[in-house]
Amino acid sequence: MTLGRADFPDGFVFAAATSAYQIEGHAFGGAGRTHWDAFAEMPGRVHEGHTGAVACDHFHRWPEDLDLVRQAGLDGYRFSTSWARVMPDGVHVNPEGLDFYDRLVDGMLDRGLKPMATLYHWELPEALSRRGGWTVREIPERLADFASIIGRRLGDRLWSTAPINEPWCVAWLSHYEGHHAPGLQSLDAAGKAMHHVALSHGLSVAALRAENVGNLGAVCNMEYPHPLTDSEQDRQAARIYDGIYNRWFAAAMTKGQYPEEVMAGLEPYLPAGWRDDMATIAQPIDWFGINYYTCKRLTRGGDVWPRIVDAPGPLPKTDMGWEIYPEGLEKLLRRTATEYTGDLPLYITENGMANRDAVLGQDPERIAYLDGHLHAVRRVIEGGVPMKGYTFWSLLDNYEWAFGYDKRFGLVHVDFETQLRTPRASFHALVRALAA
């Protein structure tokens, strides 16, 4: 990497991220079934029917994994708490689950790492999914109960906390596009989920504040939207995609409003009384996080709203088929600060690439990808955007949701048969960069 710690402001936080279901091993520790377990059992939904039953066995191997974070020279570790581990039925507490996160957070502190918590990274307890999941109002209220429990037990030791990772994935990708659990393809379900996920953020922030937990934020994923051509139809497709993907949750969480372009098609599907929730959704927060990986090429598709499809683009791509476009991160950071967050601290809460090693542990493409995006962050800092940290996705190869164990994002290679961890060249490059 051509940039090092000295190229960023004092106090700039470098971290690596994982998520509970993707690494822990959900078969252990009294965890309950999730809607991902049910989704993976549906033929053709998940690559080779893979589940998170064992994953990286982080439940047993967490000391070794935290040692890797420390060895990399990172300042923090962004992790998530599994709702279904702590509350197997979404309601009643499993003490063994809370005890696990107690040990994990203390392990971070023992190694001088900042514990950066996300409450919900997609493992909805199956019992709640059967009651309607994110399409019903009960779920935001239940997540707020979960937030209170985590805040009461861990809040005095957490450096930062966000309620939900990538709300667009929880709502739209899962209820309209059908690619993630529960796998629905319904505007009605998507409209209700888009609002209830936003509401769960606000209710959970309020619940955490009531437990005296500080440094609370939001984590939204963003992709830079290109119209495929300069036609008005394609430019409109890009605006609608931008509204759904990038602006729906950012605008709701910071301004208490939804984008007009999206409301034109989605408002009929929002739950009754949604307007009364907007002030709750826009609870004050202390920071805003952005997960960024790629851009999209958008064009008009079909006659049913939202009438958008994405098309292949010309840039080099990752193993996910995603174009590599660091400039998009720069543009989205500038716009987010200008239009939504102002002086609020901004963090990159995920950035990384899936890549197949030609030789085990050798990943020059990942090094180049990360270096390009770090340069984009440095440029926006020089332009006055209040960037305060950068988090790499991911520490480990893991369960990549519908792609199962086929896609590898890790700074550390994992042999899923033996659970052997092998730091890649990108890990060692990071060690050098953070020591510089």
Side-chain angles (χ1 to χ4, degrees):
M1 294 181 187
T2 59
L3 293 179
R5 187 182 291 276
D7 296 301
F8 292 86
D10 291 343
F12 192 85
V13 175
F14 289 96
T18 63
S19 90
Y21 191 83
Q22 292 181 269
I23 67 166
E24 287 176 1
H26 208 70
F28 311 124
R33 273 178 61 89
T34 77
H35 67 169
W36 267 97
D37 297 308
F39 186 71
E41 291 167 357
M42 300 177 190
R45 293 290 199 168
V46 174
H47 177 73
E48 296 185 354
H50 292 166
T51 74
V54 177
C56 303
D57 194 23
H58 179 73
F59 184 82
H60 298 107
R61 299 170 183 266
W62 63 265
E64 174 187 359
D65 294 337
L66 293 187
D67 285 346
L68 286 167
V69 181
R70 180 181 58 185
Q71 290 164 18
L74 293 161
D75 308 304
Y77 176 55
R78 181 174 176 253
F79 70 106
S80 73
T81 52
S82 168
W83 191 355
R85 180 179 298 287
V86 174
M87 303 171 80
D89 61 357
V91 179
H92 299 96
V93 173
N94 166 34
E96 190 176 359
L98 270 179
D99 289 347
F100 169 71
Y101 293 114
D102 217 28
R103 295 191 299 272
L104 186 65
V105 170
D106 282 348
M108 295 177 217
L109 296 174
D110 289 344
R111 292 164 176 79
L113 301 172
K114 301 179 188 299
M116 304 161 70
T118 304
L119 297 183
Y120 181 76
H121 199 131
W122 311 351
E123 60 290 277
L124 183 69
E126 186 183 32
L128 296 184
S129 179
R130 288 176 175 172
R131 300 221 287 265
W134 290 105
T135 67
V136 299
R137 190 183 179 87
E138 177 191 5
I139 303 308
E141 296 165 354
R142 293 292 186 189
L143 186 66
D145 293 340
F146 174 53
S148 295
I149 289 165
I150 294 296
R152 201 171 303 139
R153 183 67 174 268
L154 305 177
D156 62 329
R157 287 164 287 157
L158 297 177
W159 184 77
S160 67
T161 307
I164 298 174
N165 183 72
E166 297 188 347
W168 177 87
C169 291
V170 179
W172 190 263
L173 185 67
S174 307
H175 293 79
Y176 178 73
E177 296 187 7
H179 297 312
H180 280 191
L184 303 181
Q185 292 179 302
S186 161
L187 266 179
D188 182 67
K192 291 175 174 56
M194 290 284 275
H195 181 71
H196 288 145
V197 171
L199 177 60
S200 68
H201 162 82
L203 290 174
S204 296
V205 167
L208 291 165
R209 293 257 187 241
E211 297 295 336
N212 297 311
V213 182
N215 202 25
L216 305 180
V219 174
C220 294
N221 48 324
M222 295 187 179
E223 293 182 344
Y224 191 80
H226 294 284
L228 183 63
T229 71
D230 196 41
S231 71
E232 175 54 32
Q233 286 190 342
D234 285 0
R235 284 187 279 122
Q236 183 184 46
R239 286 194 296 271
I240 293 173
Y241 185 88
D242 184 44
I244 295 170
Y245 200 109
N246 298 323
R247 292 184 284 118
W248 180 271
F249 293 102
M253 293 170 178
T254 62
K255 294 185 173 183
Q257 56 190 229
Y258 291 136
E260 292 181 5
E261 300 97 313
V262 184
M263 290 297 287
L266 201 58
E267 185 172 8
Y269 305 101
L270 297 183
W274 65 268
R275 289 180 180 83
D276 297 334
D277 297 326
M278 300 310 292
T280 299
I281 293 170
Q283 291 281 321
I285 53 177
D286 304 303
W287 55 271
F288 193 89
I290 293 175
N291 296 356
Y292 178 85
Y293 292 93
T294 188
C295 62
K296 280 290 189 294
R297 312 281 168 171
L298 290 315
T299 187
R300 172 78 174 257
D303 295 320
V304 179
W305 191 91
R307 299 188 297 272
I308 51 176
V309 296
D310 61 272
L315 299 175
K317 297 173 180 64
T318 72
D319 194 39
M320 296 290 285
W322 297 344
E323 286 189 87
I324 300 172
Y325 186 58
E327 295 81 1
L329 174 60
E330 183 176 356
K331 294 173 183 178
L332 287 169
L333 287 171
R334 292 185 190 279
R335 186 183 71 176
T336 299
T338 300
E339 297 186 11
Y340 299 114
T341 57
D343 294 332
L344 207 64
L346 283 179
Y347 291 83
I348 303 303
T349 34
E350 286 183 24
N351 181 240
M353 75 174 293
N355 186 61
R356 296 183 185 274
D357 300 354
V359 177
L360 178 62
Q362 299 303 308
D363 57 345
E365 300 89 353
R366 182 175 287 109
I367 294 172
Y369 177 100
L370 296 173
D371 195 51
H373 288 79
L374 283 167
H375 274 279
V377 173
R378 186 183 176 191
R379 287 193 295 271
V380 300
I381 291 173
E382 292 170 346
V385 175
M387 298 299 306
K388 301 298 181 183
Y390 184 101
T391 302
F392 302 90
W393 182 270
S394 176
L395 176 68
L396 305 171
D397 290 340
N398 54 41
Y399 178 74
E400 192 49 47
W401 306 111
F403 295 95
Y405 297 100
D406 186 54
K407 305 299 183 184
R408 293 178 175 268
F409 279 86
L411 296 166
V412 176
H413 175 276
V414 177
D415 183 321
F416 294 109
E417 295 296 323
T418 66
Q419 295 296 338
L420 178 67
R421 274 76 161 142
T422 304
R424 290 188 165 98
S426 56
F427 179 95
H428 297 296
L430 182 60
V431 171
R432 295 190 294 272
L434 295 181

